[in-house]
């Protein structure tokens, strides 16, 4: 699997089987970027820690409280996974 880790679905980072649903996760990260104008996971500086938090602890970027509810819901659906 190839890609940029900040936008990569957990299944891809962990080397598991994956399909087009992983693109939906990445789309959710892009939607989050559109509303925040930030790079995701800026607080992580160590790749192993980042991967552990995203893959094992299910960490996702925080959705701002003032996000339109339907947009926030769409982002959360993208990150729902299987």
């Amino acid at each position: 699997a190839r890609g940029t880790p900040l936008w990569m679905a957990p299944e891809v980072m962990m080397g598991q089987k994956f399909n087009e649903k992983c693109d939906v996760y990445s789309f959710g990260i892009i939607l989050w970027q559109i509303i925040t104008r930030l790079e995701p996971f800026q607080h992580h500086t160590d790749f192993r820690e980042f991967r552990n938090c995203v893959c094992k602890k299910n960490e996702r970027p925080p959705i701002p409280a003032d996000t339109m509810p339907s947009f926030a819901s769409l982002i959360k659906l993208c990150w729902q996974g299987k």
Side-chain angles (χ1 to χ4, degrees):
R2 295 177 187 221
T4 306
L6 296 178
W7 293 267
M8 193 179 285
E11 304 92 90
V12 179
M13 267 195 275
M14 293 174 23
Q16 297 175 345
K17 284 187 112 179
F18 61 91
N19 58 29
E20 66 279 349
K21 292 179 182 180
C22 292
D23 294 332
V24 175
Y25 170 90
S26 301
F27 179 64
I29 297 291
I30 292 168
L31 292 175
W32 179 87
Q33 280 190 283
I34 289 169
I35 62 169
T36 63
R37 298 182 188 169
L38 298 171
E39 186 171 303
F41 306 107
Q42 289 182 357
H43 61 287
H44 286 289
T45 57
D46 178 75
F47 178 72
R48 285 185 188 181
E49 178 188 332
F50 162 72
R51 187 174 65 186
N52 185 53
C53 287
V54 171
C55 298
K56 305 281 187 199
K57 297 179 181 177
N58 206 32
E59 181 182 325
R60 303 296 181 262
I63 299 172
D66 63 345
T67 303
M68 189 168 56
S70 58
F71 204 70
S73 178
L74 176 60
I75 293 171
K76 289 175 188 175
L77 284 170
C78 289
W79 293 342
Q80 226 175 20
K82 301 173 184 178

